[in-house]
Amino acid sequence: MAFHYELRFGGVGGQGSLTAGTILAHAAVFRTKYYATQVPTYTSQVRGGAAKADIIISDEPITFPESTNVDFFLSTHQKAYDAYKGDLKEGAYVLVDSGLVVVPDEDAKKYKVYEYPLVRTAKYEIGNVVTMNILAVGICLGLTEVLPIDAVRDTVKEEVPAAFLDMNMKAFDMGLEVGRKFKAEGPTKK
């Protein structure tokens, strides 16, 4: 059976959702045998408006680039959660910032919901809130294992500004650890 995986990174403008999607798509295309698409969507507000990046990774050429059956959804803002949860498949992984997004109980029955303080961790444990998107990429990878870790790690090194490389690699590694723990222990919201 063909490999086909759909991811959606949602937030508001300025949180790095589009950059996170670009990193995964670039890692898939340039460092593995997979095909990938990345389709960004954002409102007319540059900062503060809902934004998302849909990424499809497949071992076959992708003929339709829109996500319609999302396997993994990250939301770092309630606006993005409410606007973009519509295409999630039953049993999809849902990762939300526990300080910014409230997942309704009925959604927790349909999806595997993981709550984590992404912004707070990036700001106070890693040292800069701009690393939140890389922290989320690490959690996504640890949880889903959708791509080889080294392929994504090397892509992060290429895509982030050199001045913030060490901080972003710390975020990536911390995210991997959290994602692996989530995978072993199961959803945090049941």
Side-chain angles (χ1 to χ4, degrees), residues 10-11 14-17 20 74 76 97 100 117-123 126 128-139 168 171:
Q15 287 188 312
S17 301
L74 164 73
T76 56
D97 187 303
L100 299 172
L118 292 158
V119 170
R120 190 181 78 204
T121 301
K123 185 173 182 178
I126 298 167
N128 194 323
V129 73
V130 300
T131 62
M132 186 268 298
N133 60 342
I134 303 302
L135 175 65
V137 167
I139 294 173
N168 277 292

Side-chain angles (χ1 to χ4, degrees), residues 9-79:
F9 280 56
V12 293
Q15 287 188 312
S17 301
L18 304 184
T19 300
T22 299
I23 286 170
L24 288 176
H26 283 181
V29 169
F30 298 120
R31 298 192 184 279
T32 73
K33 62 182 182 187
Y34 296 123
Y35 298 89
T37 61
Q38 189 242 1
V39 177
T41 302
Y42 41 88
T43 62
S44 58
Q45 289 178 288
V46 175
R47 295 203 178 264
K52 69 175 171 81
D54 283 349
I55 304 99
I56 299 174
I57 299 170
S58 177
D59 62 359
E60 296 180 341
I62 300 164
T63 56
F64 184 69
E66 296 290 331
S67 293
T68 57
N69 209 14
V70 176
D71 299 281
F72 174 90
F73 177 41
L74 164 73
S75 182
T76 56
H77 198 279
Q78 192 70 47
K79 241 188 249 187

Side-chain angles (χ1 to χ4, degrees), residues 100-121:
L100 299 172
V101 179
V102 176
V103 176
D105 290 342
E106 63 267 20
D107 288 359
K109 293 174 185 165
K110 294 188 286 187
Y111 314 123
K112 297 172 193 163
V113 178
Y114 297 86
E115 300 168 307
Y116 190 76
L118 292 158
V119 170
R120 190 181 78 204
T121 301

